[in-house]
Amino acid sequence: MAPPDIEARIYRKMLLRVVPIIMLGMFISYIDRANIGVLADPMSTDLGLTSAAFGLAAGLFYIGYCFFEIPSNMALAKFGARRWIARIMVSWGIVTMLMGLVQNEVTLYIVRIMLGIAEAGFSPGALLFLAMWCPPRMLTKTYSMMNLAVPIALAVGSVVTSALLSMHGVLGISGWRWAFLLEGAPALLLGIYIWFRLPNSPREVAWLDESEKAYLAQVGVQGEDSSAHEFKQLSAVLRRPAAWMFVLLYFCMSIGYWSITYFLPTIVREQFDLSDAQAGFVSAIPWAFSAVVMLLVARSVTRTGERTWHLTILQLAGALGLAVAASTGSAVLALVGVSLAAAGFFGSLSTFQSMSAQAFAGGLAAVALAMINGLASLSGLVGPYVVGVLKDATGSTDRGLLIMSIFFVVAAVLMYVMSRWTDRVTGGLGPVAPSPTAEPSVLTRR
């Protein structure tokens, strides 16, 4: 059995020294990619955007993001987490500020693609980095702390971005432009801090003792691998059916989430007849609820070691939530439905990520995690665009949300299959991880 005391010590130290930096990066990341949803109405008015054009602009982020995820994560393995994560954050902070300077539909499209390129690699890089500090039993709990920053960012970001709209006219600049200009600066500043303060791996830090470093070297989910940046790892991952199954699963579970993210303020305005600023405040409710659900699910999965039914039921809850939001005539029930759908996604996110991080060993992990995150992120292009097109055609987001609920049902089926399969071949989330000399998981073999 794994010594629970040494795992607890490592987790407490990591929670104080490493996780807050990654959480803050994730927090800023989601504010900077999702603030366009809160700013949709004034931006669309100034730039003359239709709902479909706005949905396309929101989703084009994922074109650059998708194609640069794998190269970025391979570069992280080559140059180290500290340097590469710092580079990512400085780049996306600058591009976010450029969003405040766009003048028309075309320049908006270009800068959104640039933002995706700049931010590519942060999320899978963070997953790979944190997996170096965790035995399997602690990974879901650690990922849940990192991911907690996302619903908090979406809730706080809605409020902060809405408040920045009140700066409209200051120095003759529109409020939505001020929001982009000011919200890009924190990423730049954190990137500079990370360059000087973030360790590359557990072996570099003085605050872990030798026994703790040795324990992580033996049972950590991932370790440092100098071959992770080699091209052979990419071809090896592309040949594995499991990698493509994870991509499909993550696509189906996230397409409804991204549709909610970018159109939630619009949905709230439709249902409650609120101003842009008021809609931003009400839009914070589903994300706050999701944060609570995420923590409760992570605690339950860590305690019980069971993830199949946790994950499957959460996807079905997401489907039910979007179906209710699309079909009810009640504004309150619509908000409840959206909250349930958001909780279905976030409640399952950390456990899903721990499942995929366990499934690929050594140098394959950097490529596999980036591939899953990158290709599945195209759901952020498809979902908002489909909802936008249907809104232009029908005058409502209802039909788009109903279609998105079907993807949650598909995700529930895939989640059940993949979770059972992964538990069978990796040993699940038990207290003992395989030794470094053990054979790699059958999911990672040719």
Side-chain angles (χ1 to χ4, degrees), residues 393-405:
T394 65
S396 171
T397 57
D398 290 350
R399 189 168 298 179
L401 292 180
L402 195 58
I403 291 174
M404 295 305 120
S405 71

Side-chain angles (χ1 to χ4, degrees), residues 10-92:
I10 292 170
Y11 181 75
R12 284 196 299 269
K13 293 177 180 180
M14 180 182 59
L15 199 60
L16 290 173
R17 308 275 189 145
V18 173
V19 174
I21 299 175
I22 300 300
M23 283 185 68
L24 185 55
M26 194 67 69
F27 177 87
I28 296 170
S29 166
Y30 274 78
I31 287 182
D32 287 349
R33 74 167 71 173
N35 54 9
I36 191 174
V38 178
L39 304 173
D41 194 53
M43 173 185 285
S44 296
T45 299
D46 282 1
L47 301 181
L49 304 176
T50 64
S51 293
F54 169 77
L56 178 60
L60 280 175
F61 170 94
Y62 298 97
I63 294 293
Y65 191 80
C66 169
F67 289 106
F68 283 82
E69 281 277 79
I70 292 176
S72 182
N73 228 34
M74 293 172 75
L76 182 146
K78 181 177 178 62
F79 297 110
R82 177 179 61 83
R83 292 178 179 177
W84 198 251
I85 291 176
R87 195 285 304 163
I88 291 172
M89 298 208 65
V90 169
S91 299
W92 101 53

Side-chain angles (χ1 to χ4, degrees), residues 191-210:
I192 295 172
Y193 177 85
I194 284 174
W195 179 272
F196 293 102
R197 300 293 295 177
L198 187 72
N200 280 309
S201 68
R203 65 181 175 83
E204 292 186 2
V205 299
W207 41 266
L208 289 177
D209 62 37
E210 292 306 315

Side-chain angles (χ1 to χ4, degrees), residues 71 117 124 168 267 274 278 309 313 351:
I117 294 172
H168 182 75
I267 295 167
L274 300 175
Q278 291 171 330
W309 288 110
I313 291 172
T351 308

Side-chain angles (χ1 to χ4, degrees), residues 2-12 209-216:
D5 58 330
I6 195 170
E7 290 190 358
R9 292 202 312 270
I10 292 170
Y11 181 75
R12 284 196 299 269
D209 62 37
E210 292 306 315
S211 66
E212 292 163 346
K213 292 179 182 180
Y215 184 74
L216 283 176

Side-chain angles (χ1 to χ4, degrees), residues 250-334:
Y250 197 24
F251 182 96
C252 289
M253 68 182 279
S254 58
I255 189 170
Y257 156 70
W258 285 119
S259 301
I260 295 170
T261 299
Y262 290 121
F263 278 95
L264 181 57
T266 301
I267 295 167
V268 169
R269 281 195 300 271
E270 287 178 356
Q271 296 287 346
F272 288 91
D273 191 25
L274 300 175
S275 68
D276 293 330
Q278 291 171 330
F281 281 92
V282 175
S283 297
I285 294 174
W287 309 127
F289 177 67
S290 298
V292 175
V293 172
M294 178 187 292
L295 291 177
L296 293 175
V297 171
R299 178 179 296 180
S300 177
V301 170
T302 300
R303 185 182 69 251
T304 64
E306 197 287 322
R307 56 187 172 192
T308 299
W309 288 110
H310 283 85
L311 293 170
T312 304
I313 291 172
L314 284 164
Q315 301 313 299
L316 294 175
L320 176 62
L322 283 186
V324 168
S327 58
T328 184
S330 165
V332 173
L333 285 179

